[in-house]
Amino acid sequence: MKQEQVATLAVEAQENCALQAPIAFAGMGSIEQQPSFRPITRRDLMAAVNTVSKGLGLRAASVMVIDALLSCLPCKDSKSGLDRPISPLTLLTVYASNNTLCFRAKGITERQLRRHLERLEQVGLIQRKDSANGKRFPIHRGGKVIGAFGIDLSPLLTRAEELVALAQERRQEADELRGLCSYIQKLRMECLNLPLGEDVSTFLEGTRNIMRRASTTLMQARAIVDKLTDVLMGVDQANVEGIQSPVATIEPKTTTTYQPQQNLDHTAKMPATDGQNVRHKEPQKSYTKKTTPESNTEFWNSLTILTEFYPNTPRTERAMVQIIFEFGKVLRIAQVTLRKAISTIGYAKTLIAQNQIAASAEQISNPDAYLTRIISATKHVLVGHGQLSKSA
C-alpha cells in the first residue's frame, strides 16, 4: 500500500491539533505571546478610556488615536457584521499605515499622530513592535495572519478591567458632584438672604466662581458644603441667643415669670398666661456653652451604645460634630441627613437617635431612612449649634 506524508492542516484537521511552527521573526506581535485578559467590546473599552482620560493625562486627540487603533482590530463577524468582543485570541498588533490611522483619527497630521503615539507609549497603553526598517506589516501563515510588526495594544487590554472599574468610580463621583452643586446653590441662596459680614460675602462670591469651573473636585464641593452649613448654623445660633433669657441653666420644676418688655419677638411666641407664673419642664441636656460639664457628662453616660465607641465626654461643639459624623458613617447615614438632623432637632436629639439606631441595628435595615422619619415626625423650628428643637 502506497503511503504519502502530508501536513496536518493539509487534510483539514483542526488547527489546535496541528503542531505550531516556530515564529519566523523575533520581536513581532503574535497571538501566542499575548497576555490573558477578560474579553471586552470596543465600545465599552472606549467609554472607559473617555471617562478616565483626564486622570491618565491624555488629551482628546490622544483618545481619538486610541479609537483609531481599536477600529483596526479584526473584531467584525464575517456573517453578521457585528462587533465581537476583543479577546486574547484577537491579534492585538495594529499594522495599519499612518495615512489610515490619521484618517480614522479625524484627519490629524502624521506629525500629530507620532506625538500622540509617543504619549500613549509613555502612559503605558501601547507598545511598539518595530521591524528592522520600522515598517508595519503582517506575517502570514497558511493564508492567515498570525502576527505583525506594528503597534501592540496588549498593555491597553491588560488594563481594561482596571479602567472600567475606575470609570465606574468616576461616574459615581460625577453624579455626587452634580447633587452637591445643586445643594450648594440652595445653601448659597439661603446665605445671601442673611445679614453677613464682608468676609462671608467674599466667600459666597468665590463659591459661585469655583462651582462654575469644570475642574472643581468632589473634595472641594464637600468643603464648600461644610463651610456654608457652618455659616447658616452660626447665624441661627446668634439669633437664638439673641431672643433667649440670659439664664445659664434652667433647673427642673423652676417657676419663672415671663417679662414681655425684654423682647417683643420673644413675647409673641409665649403662651397666653395673663402674666401668671408658668412652670417649665426641664429640657433634655444639650451641648451649648451654657451647659455645665457635669450635665454634659451625665447626658453622655446615658448614651450606652455610643459611649462604647467614644467613652470620653466631648467638651466642644467641634468635637460633638466630629463624633456625630464619624458615628454616622458607622451607621451608614448620609452626611446630608446628619446635617439636616443637627439643624432641625439639635445635637442632643441627633445623638439620642443615633444611639437608638445602634441599639436596634438588627431591626433597622435602613438607618438613613429611619433618621429621616424622625426628623419629619418632629414639628420644629430651625435651630443652631447645640440647640434643641421646640416640639409642638
Side-chain angles (χ1 to χ4, degrees):
M1 182 177 180
K2 185 178 178 181
Q3 295 182 352
E4 183 180 356
Q5 292 184 352
V6 295
T8 309
L9 291 178
V11 294
E12 299 181 356
Q14 293 185 0
E15 288 186 1
N16 57 4
C17 297
L19 295 176
Q20 297 290 341
I23 299 175
F25 303 99
M28 73 176 188
S30 64
I31 294 177
E32 290 82 357
Q33 296 176 336
Q34 291 176 173
S36 177
F37 57 88
R38 182 174 296 179
I40 184 173
T41 62
R42 287 188 289 196
R43 181 176 181 178
D44 291 342
L45 182 55
M46 275 309 304
V49 171
N50 272 318
T51 304
V52 303
S53 59
K54 188 177 296 184
L56 295 175
L58 298 179
R59 297 182 178 180
S62 296
V63 176
M64 288 192 300
V65 172
I66 294 178
D67 193 16
L69 291 170
L70 289 175
S71 70
C72 296
L73 296 181
C75 296
K76 285 284 186 181
D77 189 296
S78 58
K79 295 181 179 180
S80 64
L82 300 177
D83 263 2
R84 297 192 305 264
I86 306 171
S87 72
L89 298 179
T90 305
L91 180 61
L92 301 179
T93 303
V94 176
Y95 49 88
S97 66
N98 282 349
N99 288 337
T100 300
L101 293 177
C102 289
F103 175 77
R104 297 192 180 191
K106 314 302 180 186
I108 63 175
T109 64
E110 287 195 28
R111 182 178 179 181
Q112 291 173 327
L113 175 65
R114 287 191 294 270
R115 187 168 67 249
H116 292 303
L117 290 176
E118 290 175 0
R119 180 57 183 164
L120 294 176
E121 191 171 18
Q122 288 175 358
V123 299
L125 295 183
I126 66 172
Q127 183 179 3
R128 295 178 185 271
K129 299 286 186 179
D130 293 330
S131 63
N133 59 3
K135 299 294 184 180
R136 305 186 196 119
F137 56 87
I139 304 298
H140 293 83
R141 184 171 62 202
K144 293 184 178 180
V145 177
I146 53 94
F149 287 103
I151 302 170
D152 186 11
L153 298 180
S154 295
L156 173 62
L157 272 300
T158 303
R159 297 181 59 185
E161 195 169 355
E162 170 197 345
L163 296 177
V164 170
L166 184 59
Q168 179 65 22
E169 182 180 346
R170 292 293 178 267
R171 294 187 190 103
Q172 292 175 354
E173 291 178 355
D175 292 340
E176 184 178 354
L177 182 59
R178 282 193 292 270
L180 286 178
C181 287
S182 300
Y183 188 53
I184 287 172
Q185 182 65 14
K186 175 180 177 297
L187 294 178
R188 185 175 176 276
M189 295 305 297
E190 292 179 3
C191 290
L192 290 174
N193 295 328
L194 299 174
L196 302 173
E198 183 178 354
D199 292 342
V200 178
S201 300
T202 303
F203 170 75
L204 293 177
E205 185 65 25
T207 298
R208 183 179 64 177
N209 298 332
I210 292 174
M211 298 313 298
R212 285 179 176 178
R213 299 172 187 167
S215 59
T216 301
T217 63
L218 189 60
M219 185 178 298
Q220 290 175 325
R222 289 171 177 168
I224 292 174
V225 169
D226 291 340
K227 177 64 176 178
L228 293 177
T229 303
D230 290 343
V231 169
L232 288 173
M233 295 178 67
V235 172
D236 294 332
Q237 173 70 8
N239 292 338
V240 171
E241 290 179 352
I243 64 174
Q244 286 183 335
S245 175
V247 180
T249 57
I250 301 178
E251 298 297 333
K253 299 182 180 180
T254 300
T255 303
T256 59
T257 303
Y258 286 115
Q259 300 178 2
Q261 67 275 15
Q262 290 184 357
N263 193 300
L264 295 178
D265 294 336
H266 185 50
T267 305
K269 298 181 181 180
M270 295 179 184
T273 58
D274 296 331
Q276 298 178 0
N277 293 346
V278 178
R279 186 177 300 276
H280 286 268
K281 294 182 180 180
E282 181 186 12
Q284 293 173 303
K285 297 292 189 304
S286 61
Y287 285 83
T288 66
K289 297 178 181 178
K290 301 174 183 178
T291 307
T292 63
E294 292 76 16
S295 61
N296 284 354
T297 303
E298 180 182 355
F299 168 75
W300 194 254
N301 292 336
S302 67
L303 306 175
T304 56
I305 304 299
L306 198 144
T307 51
E308 294 180 1
F309 295 86
Y310 303 94
N312 298 327
T313 305
R315 299 302 181 185
T316 63
E317 292 181 351
R318 181 178 295 274
M320 180 66 57
V321 173
Q322 182 177 356
I323 290 176
I324 289 176
F325 281 97
E326 286 181 357
F327 198 59
K329 289 182 180 179
V330 176
L331 298 176
R332 295 177 289 111
I333 300 176
Q335 291 188 4
V336 175
T337 306
L338 293 173
R339 292 191 187 97
K340 186 176 181 181
I342 292 173
S343 62
T344 301
I345 62 178
Y347 290 145
K349 288 187 177 180
T350 300
L351 287 166
I352 293 173
Q354 286 184 315
N355 191 71
Q356 292 174 349
I357 294 172
S360 306
E362 296 181 357
Q363 291 78 24
I364 301 175
S365 59
N366 191 337
D368 190 277
Y370 185 87
L371 181 58
T372 302
R373 287 195 297 270
I374 292 178
I375 298 171
S376 301
T378 305
K379 294 182 180 180
H380 59 271
V381 295
L382 193 64
V383 297
H385 288 289
Q387 301 297 323
L388 296 176
S389 61
K390 296 181 179 180
S391 301

